[in-house]
Amino acid sequence: MRAKQYDAVVIGAGFSGLYMLHKLRERGLSVRVIEAADGVGGVWYWSRYPGAKCDSDSIFYNFTFSEELYKKWRWKDRYASQPEILEYLNFVADELELRSDIQFKTRVTEASFQEEEKTWKITTDTNEIIEAKYLISGMGCLSTTNIPPFEGVSLFQGEQYHTGRWPHEQVDFTGKRVVVIGNGSSGVQAMPEIAKEAKELTLLMRTPHYVGEARNHLLSKEQQDEAIANYKEIRDAFFTTPGGIRMFTTGKSATEFSAEQQKETLDYVWKTGALALGSAFPDIGVNKETNNVVAQYVRDKIDEIVEQPETAEQLHPDYYITTKRLIIGTNFYEMFNEDHVHIVSLKDNPIERIVENGVKLRNETIECDVIVYATGYEAMTGSLLKINLQGRNGQTIQEKWEKGRNVSTYLGLTMENFPNFFMITGPQSPSVLTNMPSAIEQHVDWIDQCIGYVESNGLQTIEAQQNAEIAWGKQCDDLANSTLFPQTNSWYTGANIDGTQRGFVIYVGGLDSYRKICDQVAERQYEGFTFEKAFQGIVKSSMQ
Ligand code: NAP
């Protein structure tokens, strides 16, 4: 079979893939985006569970690279719902006329670097072979769903759904007994909606989490106009803040305030909503005292809201707040005051297996008609490890990363032995600790510039140097180890997936600092990279 040839192949048509396609096409490259779904949207195509919303203020949850594009769109809600975000991404695809270069309903199964030709040979599940000089992953960090390997899943006689692979048709819970496994962002958003219809709703909870208030509301015409008028400020936040988003902050440690002032601040955050529990006192991630002030505040709120003291106690989280992804919700704690909503702690009573009529725990069986798995994702590395990706000399990514236990990248963007391969929001980049569109724009812009450099210098390949990769890994580890993050087992550390336990693979220094590092690497002629030039051999760009 004759291979199709492109300059670049991009995997995924979510925020990352759409913008990457646009940039490379503007550069005059031929690009093919390969997308498994039959539409654009990435994770927002699949996560159609009831209540699905982004938890960044929607005015920041969009592209800012084009003022014209930004000003053509108005968000309806303070936090955009999944249908609205999907509508936005379809709007982007139409405005930028991207669809003609996207191949839907196709999955990349294999990609291997061809030493002789210096190209990537990409195989799809539709048995196509595509060759491209550049291969770019736009698969994101949270797209491969995690269904824990419970025994008996196929025996269950009722309906079963995963929040990250929700059916397109509305699921009717009316009069049904529903079990939800998992209370991360997805479970917390879905449960109050399911509780409106279900006859019984039981949360099977492994770890209680901190849930702040979202305070969603419709945006008034004035608020929409203001967001549009504030384009420059919104874009500025992408560049100058650690999270790529403007958040409320006192700018000081909680320890600098009296107990009354701390409470006043946190009352304000609770009343106004958003993820600001994590930003009100910027040392929350490093100072145990500040951390405890905020954590205790949430525990007190739980006691205030939840009427049954035993239930409130069950819901008390005890890890360092923000070391697992902070959650915001609507009516989450209030929901447990309703007679038909129950909670079963899995702490001393774990799930043993799924049975025909429900979920068998060690001490009891919870009978139900529907099981909702809100059990999250094989975060950070899952999607990349699913593809048979082979770099130089046939080294696979599974070998390089020891099946996810020893992740190693340069800048979270590239890897030694994988020339001309780039990851958008890959592990060891700020990714999930930021407003995702901010991180995506920064990565795509950098990759685009880098490809421009390779092309304009007549180079064949660019590849991370081993010493640069080792130094980057150390920098990420040192930063993470100076925080409270590694002290909690979470999907940040891969601890949610059996056997994937690894270090903390996110750059915690903030998007603003990270951007400076990436820019400096580029300014120094791509320091830490090796290039190959046709007929002239290898050129090294030195590390300092
Ligand atoms: P998640 O945060 O990983 O939560 C998964 C839940 O399932 C946790 O409560 C986990 O318990 C539980 N779980 C996993 N395996 C289990 C097992 N074997 N037995 C019992 N319980 C188990 O997943 P998520 O809620 O889908 O959210 C993932 C991330 O996606 C979020 O943190 C966020 O970054 C993103 N997201 C964002 C939004 C948004 O608002 N933009 C919405 C949804 C998701 P443990 O805590 O004990 O592991």
Side-chain angles (χ1 to χ4, degrees):
M1 192 196 311
R2 228 179 109 78
K4 292 183 188 162
Q5 293 183 331
Y6 296 93
D7 293 320
V9 161
V10 178
I11 312 174
F15 270 96
S16 303
L18 294 180
Y19 183 39
M20 193 78 248
L21 167 59
H22 173 66
K23 288 298 279 187
L24 294 181
R25 236 172 38 173
E26 275 196 324
R27 187 168 283 290
L29 267 57
S30 62
V31 189
R32 193 73 172 159
V33 175
I34 308 289
E35 167 58 58
D38 66 2
V40 301
V43 70
W44 293 110
Y45 174 94
W46 300 105
S47 296
R48 296 167 187 248
Y49 60 86
K53 282 187 173 302
C54 74
D55 52 14
S56 291
D57 272 87
S58 52
I59 57 172
F60 291 95
Y61 205 75
N62 36 225
F63 291 120
T64 61
F65 64 85
S66 156
E67 184 166 357
E68 191 191 344
L69 188 73
Y70 177 86
K71 291 190 166 174
K72 273 190 184 173
W73 182 261
R74 280 168 185 262
W75 292 108
K76 296 186 200 82
D77 279 52
R78 176 178 181 186
Y79 304 101
S81 63
Q82 176 273 333
E84 202 184 356
I85 300 171
L86 197 54
E87 205 183 309
Y88 170 73
L89 290 169
N90 275 286
F91 153 82
V92 171
D94 291 338
E95 284 291 316
L96 303 177
E97 297 178 8
L98 299 175
R99 288 179 206 280
S100 56
D101 291 320
I102 307 175
Q103 183 168 332
F104 294 107
K105 295 201 226 174
T106 308
R107 202 175 271 282
V108 170
T109 52
E110 203 172 304
S112 54
F113 183 71
Q114 308 297 299
E115 196 61 64
E116 222 164 279
E117 297 85 355
K118 310 287 181 210
T119 56
W120 283 92
K121 182 174 157 201
I122 297 137
T123 312
T124 68
D125 63 353
T126 48
N127 292 324
E128 276 172 283
I129 295 174
I130 306 172
E131 279 169 8
K133 179 168 177 180
Y134 303 102
L135 177 62
I136 301 155
S137 164
M139 290 186 290
C141 345
L142 293 162
S143 52
T144 297
T145 50
N146 163 43
I147 299 194
F150 297 127
E151 273 179 45
V153 168
S154 61
L155 300 176
F156 183 62
Q157 295 297 302
E159 303 157 57
Q160 307 188 72
Y161 305 102
H162 190 288
T163 45
R165 283 289 179 280
W166 203 261
H168 286 210
E169 314 75 49
Q170 204 180 335
V171 176
D172 184 9
F173 293 101
T174 312
K176 293 179 184 160
R177 297 163 305 166
V178 183
V179 157
V180 176
I181 305 175
N183 50 309
S185 300
S186 305
V188 164
Q189 288 182 341
M191 274 183 274
E193 293 303 312
I194 296 173
K196 288 179 189 165
E197 291 180 357
K199 185 171 148 203
E200 302 288 335
L201 172 65
T202 306
L203 163 63
L204 303 185
M205 181 181 69
R206 192 163 69 176
T207 315
H209 295 141
Y210 298 91
V211 182
E213 280 291 333
R215 307 282 181 210
N216 187 38
H217 54 77
L218 287 175
L219 293 176
S220 64
K221 165 90 172 51
E222 291 70 38
Q223 286 168 320
Q224 291 175 341
D225 289 346
E226 198 185 325
I228 284 176
N230 283 346
Y231 165 73
K232 287 201 164 49
E233 281 163 46
I234 304 267
R235 181 151 174 82
D236 182 61
F238 275 41
F239 283 76
T240 57
T241 62
I245 185 168
R246 202 70 63 201
M247 300 281 287
F248 167 78
T249 181
T250 61
K252 291 181 184 169
S253 168
T255 57
E256 293 181 48
F257 295 99
S258 67
E260 291 73 33
Q261 288 169 327
Q262 290 167 351
K263 181 165 178 326
E264 217 172 276
T265 303
L266 293 170
D267 280 347
Y268 170 78
V269 168
W270 196 263
K271 204 167 119 214
T272 48
L275 292 164
L277 282 173
S279 61
F281 305 117
D283 63 344
I284 192 167
V286 291
N287 183 336
K288 289 182 183 174
E289 214 177 320
T290 291
N291 196 285
N292 188 49
V293 167
V294 184
Q296 190 54 44
Y297 180 86
V298 179
R299 286 191 286 265
D300 291 346
K301 276 286 165 198
I302 297 171
D303 292 344
E304 221 175 281
I305 298 168
V306 179
E307 287 159 10
Q308 293 287 336
E310 314 80 66
T311 310
E313 185 64 33
Q314 273 183 312
L315 285 164
H316 276 189
D318 63 2
Y319 55 89
Y320 292 117
I321 185 167
T322 69
T323 56
K324 282 182 182 240
R325 172 69 147 69
L326 196 56
I327 301 170
I328 51 174
T330 303
N331 286 329
F332 177 69
Y333 291 124
E334 289 80 352
M335 170 185 81
F336 293 100
N337 293 331
E338 297 189 36
D339 290 340
H340 72 299
V341 180
H342 319 283
I343 185 167
V344 176
S345 169
L346 299 175
K347 200 169 162 209
D348 303 311
N349 189 18
I351 296 173
E352 283 193 341
R353 72 184 96 95
I354 309 295
V355 290
E356 282 188 6
N357 60 345
V359 184
K360 164 89 180 71
L361 310 181
R362 181 182 293 159
N363 303 333
E364 63 195 304
T365 296
I366 312 288
E367 293 188 10
C368 60
D369 307 302
V370 186
I371 302 175
V372 173
Y373 299 91
T375 45
Y377 298 89
E378 292 184 27
M380 314 310 299
T381 53
S383 303
L384 284 162
L385 290 169
K386 284 265 177 318
I387 293 177
N388 184 10
L389 188 67
Q390 295 178 27
R392 283 195 202 277
N393 307 317
Q395 186 191 36
T396 65
I397 190 165
Q398 285 86 354
E399 287 162 355
K400 182 173 174 74
W401 286 357
E402 295 172 28
K403 296 188 177 157
R405 281 187 293 273
N406 190 12
V407 171
S408 170
T409 75
Y410 182 34
L411 303 173
L413 278 159
T414 60
M415 290 184 290
E416 188 216 6
N417 255 356
F418 291 75
N420 294 354
F421 171 71
F422 299 92
M423 295 167 282
I424 305 172
T425 65
Q428 295 183 334
S429 78
S431 68
V432 290
L433 295 181
T434 69
N435 175 46
M436 288 308 277
S438 317
I440 288 168
E441 279 199 4
Q442 185 269 337
H443 261 192
V444 169
D445 288 343
W446 192 92
I447 294 168
D448 170 59
Q449 291 290 323
C450 176
I451 288 178
Y453 179 88
V454 173
E455 291 297 299
S456 59
N457 286 285
L459 301 167
Q460 284 187 310
T461 63
I462 178 165
E463 179 184 348
Q465 291 169 16
Q466 191 185 45
N467 61 341
E469 204 170 281
I470 292 168
W472 182 248
K474 182 167 177 342
Q475 191 170 340
C476 289
D477 287 349
D478 289 350
L479 274 170
N481 290 334
S482 68
T483 71
L484 300 170
F485 278 113
Q487 300 195 27
T488 302
N489 282 336
S490 67
W491 61 253
Y492 289 151
T493 63
N496 62 328
I497 308 293
D498 295 343
T500 316
Q501 184 66 15
R502 56 173 184 236
F504 189 83
V505 293
I506 308 167
Y507 174 83
V508 298
L511 183 60
D512 46 354
S513 306
Y514 174 78
R515 182 187 290 275
K516 285 187 193 136
I517 296 170
C518 292
D519 288 350
Q520 202 173 63
V521 166
E523 279 156 22
R524 294 180 178 167
Q525 313 293 308
Y526 294 89
E527 182 182 39
F529 286 96
T530 299
F531 305 96
E532 283 171 298
K533 197 163 187 169
F535 312 117
Q536 289 180 16
I538 293 172
V539 184
K540 271 199 177 191
S541 185
S542 64
M543 289 289 287
Q544 262 198 329

